[in-house]
Short mmCIF file of all heavy atoms in Angstrom, two decimals:
data_model
loop_
_atom_site.label_atom_id
_atom_site.label_comp_id
_atom_site.label_asym_id
_atom_site.label_seq_id
_atom_site.Cartn_x
_atom_site.Cartn_y
_atom_site.Cartn_z
N GLN A 1055 -14.28 -14.83 10.42
CA GLN A 1055 -14.69 -16.11 9.89
C GLN A 1055 -14.74 -17.17 11.00
O GLN A 1055 -13.88 -18.01 11.03
CB GLN A 1055 -13.83 -16.50 8.82
CG GLN A 1055 -13.73 -15.46 7.63
CD GLN A 1055 -15.05 -15.35 6.93
OE1 GLN A 1055 -15.74 -16.37 6.57
NE2 GLN A 1055 -15.42 -14.14 6.63
N LEU A 1056 -15.70 -17.02 11.87
CA LEU A 1056 -15.72 -17.92 13.08
C LEU A 1056 -16.79 -18.93 12.83
O LEU A 1056 -17.82 -18.71 12.18
CB LEU A 1056 -15.97 -17.15 14.36
CG LEU A 1056 -14.85 -16.23 14.70
CD1 LEU A 1056 -15.28 -15.17 15.72
CD2 LEU A 1056 -13.70 -17.04 15.25
N PRO A 1057 -16.66 -20.16 13.44
CA PRO A 1057 -17.67 -21.23 13.26
C PRO A 1057 -19.11 -20.75 13.60
O PRO A 1057 -19.34 -20.06 14.61
CB PRO A 1057 -17.21 -22.29 14.27
CG PRO A 1057 -15.74 -22.07 14.34
CD PRO A 1057 -15.56 -20.64 14.31
N GLY A 1058 -20.03 -21.10 12.76
CA GLY A 1058 -21.48 -20.74 12.97
C GLY A 1058 -21.85 -19.37 12.43
O GLY A 1058 -23.01 -19.00 12.42
N THR A 1059 -20.82 -18.64 11.83
CA THR A 1059 -21.20 -17.32 11.27
C THR A 1059 -21.87 -17.47 9.89
O THR A 1059 -21.38 -18.20 9.04
CB THR A 1059 -19.90 -16.44 11.16
OG1 THR A 1059 -19.35 -16.36 12.45
CG2 THR A 1059 -20.31 -15.05 10.66
N GLU A 1060 -22.98 -16.73 9.72
CA GLU A 1060 -23.65 -16.84 8.40
C GLU A 1060 -24.05 -15.38 8.09
O GLU A 1060 -24.73 -14.66 8.86
CB GLU A 1060 -24.97 -17.67 8.51
CG GLU A 1060 -24.66 -19.16 8.77
CD GLU A 1060 -25.98 -19.91 8.87
OE1 GLU A 1060 -27.05 -19.42 8.53
OE2 GLU A 1060 -25.94 -21.10 9.35
N LEU A 1061 -23.67 -14.93 6.84
CA LEU A 1061 -24.17 -13.69 6.35
C LEU A 1061 -25.27 -13.94 5.39
O LEU A 1061 -25.23 -14.58 4.40
CB LEU A 1061 -23.02 -13.02 5.53
CG LEU A 1061 -22.02 -12.13 6.32
CD1 LEU A 1061 -21.22 -13.04 7.35
CD2 LEU A 1061 -21.08 -11.30 5.54
N GLU A 1062 -26.45 -13.48 5.80
CA GLU A 1062 -27.68 -13.74 5.15
C GLU A 1062 -27.67 -13.08 3.73
O GLU A 1062 -27.21 -11.94 3.56
CB GLU A 1062 -28.84 -13.23 5.93
CG GLU A 1062 -30.23 -13.52 5.39
CD GLU A 1062 -31.38 -13.00 6.34
OE1 GLU A 1062 -31.62 -13.67 7.24
OE2 GLU A 1062 -31.83 -11.89 6.06
N LYS A 1063 -28.23 -13.89 2.73
CA LYS A 1063 -28.32 -13.31 1.38
C LYS A 1063 -29.75 -13.27 0.85
O LYS A 1063 -30.56 -14.15 1.35
CB LYS A 1063 -27.45 -14.18 0.39
CG LYS A 1063 -25.95 -14.08 0.63
CD LYS A 1063 -25.17 -14.95 -0.34
CE LYS A 1063 -23.64 -14.83 -0.14
NZ LYS A 1063 -22.89 -15.61 -1.06
N ASP A 1064 -30.08 -12.44 -0.04
CA ASP A 1064 -31.41 -12.39 -0.60
C ASP A 1064 -31.47 -13.32 -1.87
O ASP A 1064 -30.49 -14.08 -2.18
CB ASP A 1064 -31.81 -11.00 -0.98
CG ASP A 1064 -30.96 -10.32 -2.02
OD1 ASP A 1064 -30.18 -11.10 -2.73
OD2 ASP A 1064 -31.00 -9.06 -2.17
N ALA A 1065 -32.62 -13.33 -2.49
CA ALA A 1065 -32.78 -14.24 -3.67
C ALA A 1065 -31.83 -13.99 -4.75
O ALA A 1065 -31.50 -14.88 -5.57
CB ALA A 1065 -34.21 -14.12 -4.20
N GLN A 1066 -31.30 -12.82 -4.89
CA GLN A 1066 -30.30 -12.46 -5.86
C GLN A 1066 -28.87 -12.71 -5.46
O GLN A 1066 -27.98 -12.41 -6.23
CB GLN A 1066 -30.46 -10.94 -6.35
CG GLN A 1066 -31.76 -10.67 -7.11
CD GLN A 1066 -32.96 -10.76 -6.24
OE1 GLN A 1066 -33.00 -10.15 -5.16
NE2 GLN A 1066 -34.05 -11.34 -6.77
N GLY A 1067 -28.74 -13.27 -4.23
CA GLY A 1067 -27.39 -13.55 -3.78
C GLY A 1067 -26.66 -12.37 -3.19
O GLY A 1067 -25.42 -12.47 -2.92
N ARG A 1068 -27.37 -11.28 -2.87
CA ARG A 1068 -26.78 -10.13 -2.32
C ARG A 1068 -26.85 -10.16 -0.77
O ARG A 1068 -27.89 -10.60 -0.25
CB ARG A 1068 -27.36 -8.85 -2.81
CG ARG A 1068 -27.27 -8.62 -4.35
CD ARG A 1068 -28.06 -7.46 -4.83
NE ARG A 1068 -29.49 -7.70 -4.54
CZ ARG A 1068 -30.55 -7.04 -5.16
NH1 ARG A 1068 -30.25 -6.11 -6.00
NH2 ARG A 1068 -31.79 -7.33 -4.85
N TYR A 1069 -25.83 -9.69 -0.11
CA TYR A 1069 -25.93 -9.67 1.36
C TYR A 1069 -27.02 -8.66 1.83
O TYR A 1069 -27.12 -7.58 1.33
CB TYR A 1069 -24.58 -9.23 1.98
CG TYR A 1069 -23.47 -10.23 1.74
CD1 TYR A 1069 -22.33 -9.83 1.02
CD2 TYR A 1069 -23.56 -11.47 2.29
CE1 TYR A 1069 -21.35 -10.77 0.80
CE2 TYR A 1069 -22.55 -12.45 2.06
CZ TYR A 1069 -21.45 -12.04 1.33
OH TYR A 1069 -20.47 -12.96 1.13
N THR A 1070 -27.81 -9.18 2.81
CA THR A 1070 -28.98 -8.42 3.29
C THR A 1070 -28.51 -7.43 4.41
O THR A 1070 -29.19 -6.43 4.66
CB THR A 1070 -30.08 -9.26 3.78
OG1 THR A 1070 -29.58 -9.97 5.01
CG2 THR A 1070 -30.52 -10.29 2.79
N GLY A 1071 -27.46 -7.73 5.07
CA GLY A 1071 -27.01 -7.01 6.25
C GLY A 1071 -27.32 -7.71 7.52
O GLY A 1071 -26.95 -7.21 8.65
N VAL A 1072 -27.99 -8.89 7.44
CA VAL A 1072 -28.28 -9.66 8.65
C VAL A 1072 -27.14 -10.69 8.86
O VAL A 1072 -26.83 -11.47 7.97
CB VAL A 1072 -29.65 -10.38 8.57
CG1 VAL A 1072 -29.88 -11.16 9.86
CG2 VAL A 1072 -30.77 -9.23 8.31
N VAL A 1073 -26.55 -10.67 10.07
CA VAL A 1073 -25.48 -11.63 10.37
C VAL A 1073 -25.99 -12.60 11.51
O VAL A 1073 -26.49 -12.10 12.53
CB VAL A 1073 -24.22 -10.94 10.87
CG1 VAL A 1073 -23.14 -11.97 11.20
CG2 VAL A 1073 -23.76 -10.00 9.76
N HIS A 1074 -25.93 -13.91 11.25
CA HIS A 1074 -26.34 -14.88 12.27
C HIS A 1074 -24.96 -15.54 12.76
O HIS A 1074 -24.02 -15.66 12.01
CB HIS A 1074 -27.18 -15.98 11.73
CG HIS A 1074 -28.44 -15.51 11.13
ND1 HIS A 1074 -29.64 -15.39 11.92
CD2 HIS A 1074 -28.73 -15.11 9.87
CE1 HIS A 1074 -30.56 -14.92 11.11
NE2 HIS A 1074 -30.12 -14.74 9.91
N GLY A 1075 -24.99 -15.82 14.06
CA GLY A 1075 -23.75 -16.37 14.59
C GLY A 1075 -23.83 -16.74 16.12
O GLY A 1075 -24.91 -16.76 16.64
N TYR A 1076 -22.68 -16.92 16.68
CA TYR A 1076 -22.60 -17.23 18.09
C TYR A 1076 -21.75 -16.15 18.77
O TYR A 1076 -21.27 -15.21 18.15
CB TYR A 1076 -21.96 -18.64 18.30
CG TYR A 1076 -22.80 -19.75 17.85
CD1 TYR A 1076 -22.40 -20.65 16.80
CD2 TYR A 1076 -24.09 -20.00 18.42
CE1 TYR A 1076 -23.14 -21.72 16.40
CE2 TYR A 1076 -24.84 -21.01 17.93
CZ TYR A 1076 -24.41 -21.89 16.93
OH TYR A 1076 -25.22 -22.95 16.52
N THR A 1077 -21.56 -16.33 20.05
CA THR A 1077 -20.92 -15.29 20.94
C THR A 1077 -19.66 -14.70 20.31
O THR A 1077 -19.54 -13.48 20.24
CB THR A 1077 -20.65 -15.91 22.26
OG1 THR A 1077 -21.76 -16.61 22.79
CG2 THR A 1077 -20.22 -14.85 23.24
N PHE A 1078 -18.72 -15.57 19.89
CA PHE A 1078 -17.43 -15.03 19.52
C PHE A 1078 -17.48 -14.19 18.23
O PHE A 1078 -16.64 -13.32 18.05
CB PHE A 1078 -16.44 -16.24 19.38
CG PHE A 1078 -16.30 -17.07 20.60
CD1 PHE A 1078 -16.26 -18.44 20.55
CD2 PHE A 1078 -16.27 -16.41 21.86
CE1 PHE A 1078 -16.17 -19.21 21.73
CE2 PHE A 1078 -16.18 -17.24 23.01
CZ PHE A 1078 -16.17 -18.62 22.91
N THR A 1079 -18.44 -14.42 17.36
CA THR A 1079 -18.60 -13.67 16.17
C THR A 1079 -18.87 -12.16 16.56
O THR A 1079 -18.21 -11.29 16.04
CB THR A 1079 -19.82 -14.12 15.30
OG1 THR A 1079 -19.45 -15.48 14.87
CG2 THR A 1079 -19.97 -13.24 14.07
N PHE A 1080 -19.70 -11.98 17.47
CA PHE A 1080 -20.10 -10.70 17.87
C PHE A 1080 -19.07 -9.94 18.78
O PHE A 1080 -18.90 -8.79 18.70
CB PHE A 1080 -21.50 -10.74 18.58
CG PHE A 1080 -22.57 -11.32 17.64
CD1 PHE A 1080 -23.03 -12.59 17.90
CD2 PHE A 1080 -23.05 -10.66 16.57
CE1 PHE A 1080 -23.99 -13.26 17.07
CE2 PHE A 1080 -23.96 -11.23 15.68
CZ PHE A 1080 -24.44 -12.50 15.98
N ILE A 1081 -18.36 -10.76 19.58
CA ILE A 1081 -17.31 -10.21 20.24
C ILE A 1081 -16.20 -9.60 19.35
O ILE A 1081 -15.62 -8.51 19.48
CB ILE A 1081 -16.62 -11.24 21.26
CG1 ILE A 1081 -17.61 -11.48 22.40
CG2 ILE A 1081 -15.37 -10.74 21.81
CD1 ILE A 1081 -17.17 -12.57 23.35
N ALA A 1082 -15.93 -10.42 18.31
CA ALA A 1082 -14.88 -10.02 17.27
C ALA A 1082 -15.34 -8.81 16.54
O ALA A 1082 -14.50 -7.84 16.30
CB ALA A 1082 -14.62 -11.13 16.21
N MET A 1083 -16.65 -8.70 16.22
CA MET A 1083 -17.14 -7.51 15.51
C MET A 1083 -17.03 -6.28 16.44
O MET A 1083 -16.67 -5.17 15.93
CB MET A 1083 -18.57 -7.71 15.07
CG MET A 1083 -18.77 -8.72 13.95
SD MET A 1083 -20.51 -9.21 13.74
CE MET A 1083 -21.35 -7.70 13.49
N GLU A 1084 -17.31 -6.43 17.73
CA GLU A 1084 -17.26 -5.32 18.62
C GLU A 1084 -15.80 -4.75 18.68
O GLU A 1084 -15.69 -3.44 18.89
CB GLU A 1084 -17.77 -5.63 20.01
CG GLU A 1084 -17.79 -4.59 20.99
CD GLU A 1084 -18.78 -3.49 20.72
OE1 GLU A 1084 -19.66 -3.70 19.89
OE2 GLU A 1084 -18.72 -2.42 21.40
#
Side-chain angles (χ1 to χ4, degrees):
Q1055 301 296 316
L1056 294 164
T1059 304
E1060 296 177 12
L1061 275 66
E1062 188 178 275
K1063 294 182 179 181
D1064 62 18
Q1066 288 73 44
R1068 296 172 300 197
Y1069 292 118
T1070 64
V1072 180
V1073 178
H1074 301 271
Y1076 293 118
T1077 310
F1078 303 137
T1079 298
F1080 302 106
I1081 289 176
M1083 288 167 58
E1084 181 67 13

